[in-house]
């Protein structure tokens, strides 16, 4: 992949970073559609998790999207819990020729299904570009998927987090976090102090 590929994916990551803390229960995803070196459209996951980035970027590009390249920070979904058209289908129907994906998504609605659907439709698919940079965008989402709990980190201000975790240090912290995970939270923050120490002692604090 070229320096231009890295530049456009960097822009997709930047777009998604600007939405972190606003898109739960879904991860923040960025999408940039490019043709002949020119950006046709760009979008990030909307507040509340919908519409997805691709759902916004594809219509904004219009007919010019045919033959273009889409840069997406997370594997496009191959199916939707709502039953609506998946993001992979949006890209196929728009005539996108190539999709560059930063990170694969292990969730049940992607998990290789998105890239497989794209390849089956004849699109060129490349993965792994700026994967490390894109990881922070979905780490809370993946943590909740694996554990049923949002991740918790120490922060002074909580910028980019879904909410502050403010439980009593003596509470059943696992139960409290699972309750918040069921509510859709993915990334929580707490300041340094007694609660952070209690979380760390129980292996519930992400460093």
């Amino acid at each position: 992949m070229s320096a231009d590929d890295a530049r456009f994916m960097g822009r997709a990551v930047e777009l998604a970073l600007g939405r972190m803390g606003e898109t739960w229960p879904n991860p923040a995803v960025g999408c940039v559609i490019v043709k002949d070196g020119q950006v046709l459209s760009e979008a990030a996951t909307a507040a509340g998790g919908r519409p997805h980035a691709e759902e916004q970027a594809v219509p904004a590009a219009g007919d010019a999207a045919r033959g273009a390249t889409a840069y997406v920070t997370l594997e496009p979904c191959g199916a939707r819990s709502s039953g609506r058209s998946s993001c992979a289908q949006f890209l196929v129907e728009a005539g996108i020729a190539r999709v560059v994906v930063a990170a694969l998504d292990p969730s049940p609605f992607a998990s290789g299904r998105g890239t497989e659907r794209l390849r089956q439709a004849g699109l060129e698919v490349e993965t792994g570009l700026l994967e490390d940079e894109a990881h922070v965008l979905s780490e809370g989402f993946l943590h909740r998927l694996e554990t049923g709990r949002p991740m918790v980190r120490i922060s002074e201000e909580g910028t980019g987090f879904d909410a502050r975790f403010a439980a009593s240090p003596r509470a059943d912290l696992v139960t409290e976090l699972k309750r918040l995970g069921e509510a859709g939270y993915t990334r929580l923050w707490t300041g340094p102090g007694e609660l952070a120490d209690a979380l760390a002692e129980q292996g519930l604090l992400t460093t």
Side-chain angles (χ1 to χ4, degrees):
M1 286 180 270
S2 69
D4 279 345
D5 287 329
R7 177 165 60 89
F8 293 129
M9 184 62 81
R11 175 57 181 162
V13 171
E14 180 183 17
L15 289 166
L17 283 171
R19 287 290 175 84
M20 285 192 69
E22 302 175 5
T23 65
W24 59 276
N26 291 336
V29 176
C31 177
V32 177
I33 297 179
V34 178
K35 188 173 184 180
D36 299 327
Q38 300 296 315
V39 174
L40 301 178
S41 63
E42 56 182 35
T45 309
R50 291 188 177 87
H52 291 184
E54 299 93 325
E55 287 182 276
Q56 301 171 72
V58 166
D63 292 341
R66 190 162 298 278
T69 295
Y71 298 86
V72 189
T73 58
L74 188 68
E75 178 186 1
C77 58
R80 295 288 291 272
S81 58
S82 64
R84 297 171 59 192
S85 294
S86 67
C87 289
Q89 191 63 30
F90 267 101
L91 296 169
V92 169
E93 292 176 354
I96 295 289
R98 176 175 176 245
V99 181
V100 182
V101 178
L104 297 178
D105 179 0
S107 71
F109 295 104
S111 193
R113 294 170 67 182
T115 52
E116 180 183 2
R117 176 168 289 190
L118 294 171
R119 290 190 173 106
Q120 287 179 344
L123 281 71
E124 179 184 354
V125 180
E126 298 175 67
T127 63
L129 180 61
L130 301 190
E131 182 175 7
D132 289 343
E133 290 84 344
H135 175 69
V136 68
L137 299 167
S138 57
E139 61 178 355
F141 173 76
L142 299 181
H143 186 278
R144 191 189 58 162
L145 193 67
E146 293 168 359
T147 68
R149 307 185 308 266
M151 59 171 283
V152 187
R153 272 211 169 105
I154 292 176
S155 174
E156 296 290 344
E157 299 178 351
T159 302
F161 287 82
D162 301 346
R164 181 172 186 168
F165 185 52
S168 165
R170 290 166 293 282
D172 181 342
L173 298 177
V174 170
T175 297
E176 288 294 310
L177 288 170
K178 283 191 174 291
R179 179 179 62 80
L180 292 169
E182 290 171 358
Y185 291 96
T186 63
R187 296 178 80 245
L188 303 177
W189 69 280
T190 187
E194 191 178 357
L195 176 57
D197 292 343
L199 288 163
E201 288 173 5
Q202 297 180 45
L204 299 173
L205 190 69
T206 301
T207 57

